[in-house]
Short mmCIF file of all heavy atoms in Angstrom, two decimals:
data_model
loop_
_atom_site.label_atom_id
_atom_site.label_comp_id
_atom_site.label_asym_id
_atom_site.label_seq_id
_atom_site.Cartn_x
_atom_site.Cartn_y
_atom_site.Cartn_z
N SER B 109 -79.17 142.37 -244.23
CA SER B 109 -78.55 143.71 -244.12
C SER B 109 -79.61 144.80 -243.89
O SER B 109 -79.38 145.72 -243.13
CB SER B 109 -77.76 143.96 -245.40
OG SER B 109 -77.41 145.27 -245.46
N GLU B 110 -80.72 144.65 -244.51
CA GLU B 110 -81.66 145.71 -244.41
C GLU B 110 -82.19 145.97 -242.98
O GLU B 110 -82.13 147.06 -242.44
CB GLU B 110 -82.90 145.43 -245.32
CG GLU B 110 -83.79 146.59 -245.46
CD GLU B 110 -84.74 146.50 -246.66
OE1 GLU B 110 -84.34 145.85 -247.69
OE2 GLU B 110 -85.86 147.02 -246.56
N SER B 111 -82.62 144.87 -242.38
CA SER B 111 -83.13 145.07 -241.01
C SER B 111 -82.06 145.33 -240.01
O SER B 111 -82.26 146.11 -239.11
CB SER B 111 -83.96 143.82 -240.63
OG SER B 111 -83.15 142.70 -240.65
N VAL B 112 -80.89 144.75 -240.18
CA VAL B 112 -79.81 145.04 -239.26
C VAL B 112 -79.37 146.47 -239.37
O VAL B 112 -79.15 147.15 -238.35
CB VAL B 112 -78.63 144.01 -239.42
CG1 VAL B 112 -77.49 144.38 -238.47
CG2 VAL B 112 -79.12 142.61 -239.19
N THR B 113 -79.25 146.99 -240.56
CA THR B 113 -78.82 148.39 -240.75
C THR B 113 -79.93 149.30 -240.11
O THR B 113 -79.58 150.28 -239.47
CB THR B 113 -78.66 148.70 -242.27
OG1 THR B 113 -77.80 147.75 -242.82
CG2 THR B 113 -78.11 150.11 -242.44
N ASP B 114 -81.13 148.91 -240.28
CA ASP B 114 -82.21 149.79 -239.66
C ASP B 114 -82.08 149.83 -238.15
O ASP B 114 -82.20 150.84 -237.51
CB ASP B 114 -83.57 149.25 -240.09
CG ASP B 114 -84.69 150.15 -239.46
OD1 ASP B 114 -84.86 151.26 -239.86
OD2 ASP B 114 -85.35 149.67 -238.50
N LYS B 115 -81.74 148.65 -237.60
CA LYS B 115 -81.62 148.57 -236.12
C LYS B 115 -80.44 149.47 -235.73
O LYS B 115 -80.51 150.25 -234.76
CB LYS B 115 -81.49 147.19 -235.63
CG LYS B 115 -81.27 147.11 -234.14
CD LYS B 115 -81.30 145.68 -233.63
CE LYS B 115 -80.97 145.67 -232.14
NZ LYS B 115 -80.94 144.35 -231.50
N ALA B 116 -79.29 149.36 -236.44
CA ALA B 116 -78.18 150.14 -236.15
C ALA B 116 -78.53 151.62 -236.18
O ALA B 116 -78.09 152.43 -235.31
CB ALA B 116 -77.06 149.83 -237.09
N ARG B 117 -79.27 151.99 -237.23
CA ARG B 117 -79.65 153.40 -237.34
C ARG B 117 -80.40 153.86 -236.10
O ARG B 117 -80.16 154.94 -235.59
CB ARG B 117 -80.57 153.52 -238.58
CG ARG B 117 -80.60 154.90 -239.10
CD ARG B 117 -81.85 155.13 -240.01
NE ARG B 117 -82.98 155.39 -239.21
CZ ARG B 117 -84.23 155.27 -239.60
NH1 ARG B 117 -84.49 154.83 -240.84
NH2 ARG B 117 -85.26 155.60 -238.85
N ARG B 118 -81.31 153.00 -235.63
CA ARG B 118 -82.14 153.40 -234.48
C ARG B 118 -81.28 153.51 -233.23
O ARG B 118 -81.49 154.37 -232.36
CB ARG B 118 -83.22 152.38 -234.29
CG ARG B 118 -84.32 152.52 -235.30
CD ARG B 118 -85.35 151.50 -235.27
NE ARG B 118 -86.18 151.77 -236.43
CZ ARG B 118 -87.06 152.74 -236.47
NH1 ARG B 118 -87.31 153.48 -235.37
NH2 ARG B 118 -87.80 152.98 -237.55
N ILE B 119 -80.30 152.68 -233.09
CA ILE B 119 -79.39 152.74 -231.95
C ILE B 119 -78.65 154.10 -231.96
O ILE B 119 -78.62 154.79 -230.94
CB ILE B 119 -78.37 151.61 -231.92
CG1 ILE B 119 -79.08 150.25 -231.71
CG2 ILE B 119 -77.27 151.80 -230.90
CD1 ILE B 119 -78.22 149.04 -231.86
N VAL B 120 -78.21 154.48 -233.14
CA VAL B 120 -77.48 155.80 -233.23
C VAL B 120 -78.45 156.94 -233.02
O VAL B 120 -78.13 157.92 -232.25
CB VAL B 120 -76.79 155.94 -234.61
CG1 VAL B 120 -76.01 157.23 -234.69
CG2 VAL B 120 -75.87 154.74 -234.88
N GLU B 121 -79.65 156.80 -233.56
CA GLU B 121 -80.63 157.85 -233.43
C GLU B 121 -80.95 158.08 -231.91
O GLU B 121 -81.07 159.25 -231.49
CB GLU B 121 -81.92 157.39 -234.11
CG GLU B 121 -82.62 158.46 -234.85
CD GLU B 121 -83.72 157.75 -235.73
OE1 GLU B 121 -83.42 157.28 -236.81
OE2 GLU B 121 -84.88 157.72 -235.18
N ALA B 122 -81.17 156.99 -231.21
CA ALA B 122 -81.52 157.14 -229.78
C ALA B 122 -80.35 157.83 -229.06
O ALA B 122 -80.58 158.67 -228.13
CB ALA B 122 -81.73 155.75 -229.18
N ALA B 123 -79.14 157.52 -229.42
CA ALA B 123 -77.95 158.15 -228.77
C ALA B 123 -77.96 159.65 -229.09
O ALA B 123 -77.52 160.45 -228.25
CB ALA B 123 -76.71 157.42 -229.20
N ILE B 124 -78.29 160.01 -230.34
CA ILE B 124 -78.29 161.42 -230.67
C ILE B 124 -79.40 162.15 -229.91
O ILE B 124 -79.19 163.20 -229.34
CB ILE B 124 -78.45 161.61 -232.20
CG1 ILE B 124 -77.24 160.99 -232.97
CG2 ILE B 124 -78.61 163.06 -232.50
CD1 ILE B 124 -77.48 161.05 -234.51
N GLU B 125 -80.58 161.59 -229.98
CA GLU B 125 -81.72 162.34 -229.42
C GLU B 125 -81.83 162.25 -227.93
O GLU B 125 -82.23 163.23 -227.32
CB GLU B 125 -83.02 161.72 -230.01
CG GLU B 125 -83.30 162.14 -231.38
CD GLU B 125 -84.74 161.81 -231.77
OE1 GLU B 125 -85.65 162.44 -231.22
OE2 GLU B 125 -84.88 160.85 -232.60
N PHE B 126 -81.49 161.15 -227.34
CA PHE B 126 -81.60 160.99 -225.91
C PHE B 126 -80.40 160.60 -225.27
O PHE B 126 -80.20 159.47 -224.75
CB PHE B 126 -82.72 159.99 -225.61
CG PHE B 126 -84.01 160.24 -226.41
CD1 PHE B 126 -84.28 159.45 -227.53
CD2 PHE B 126 -84.84 161.25 -226.02
CE1 PHE B 126 -85.48 159.68 -228.20
CE2 PHE B 126 -85.99 161.49 -226.73
CZ PHE B 126 -86.32 160.74 -227.86
N PRO B 127 -79.35 161.47 -225.23
CA PRO B 127 -78.09 161.13 -224.66
C PRO B 127 -78.21 160.86 -223.19
O PRO B 127 -79.10 161.42 -222.54
CB PRO B 127 -77.25 162.37 -224.98
CG PRO B 127 -78.13 163.45 -225.04
CD PRO B 127 -79.44 162.83 -225.68
N GLY B 128 -77.32 160.04 -222.64
CA GLY B 128 -77.31 159.75 -221.23
C GLY B 128 -76.69 160.89 -220.47
O GLY B 128 -75.99 161.73 -221.03
#
Side-chain angles (χ1 to χ4, degrees):
Chain B
S109 171
E110 191 163 327
S111 60
V112 177
T113 306
D114 180 71
K115 179 172 173 181
R117 201 198 83 196
R118 287 173 185 283
I119 292 173
V120 181
E121 220 171 276
I124 295 174
E125 282 193 71
F126 310 104

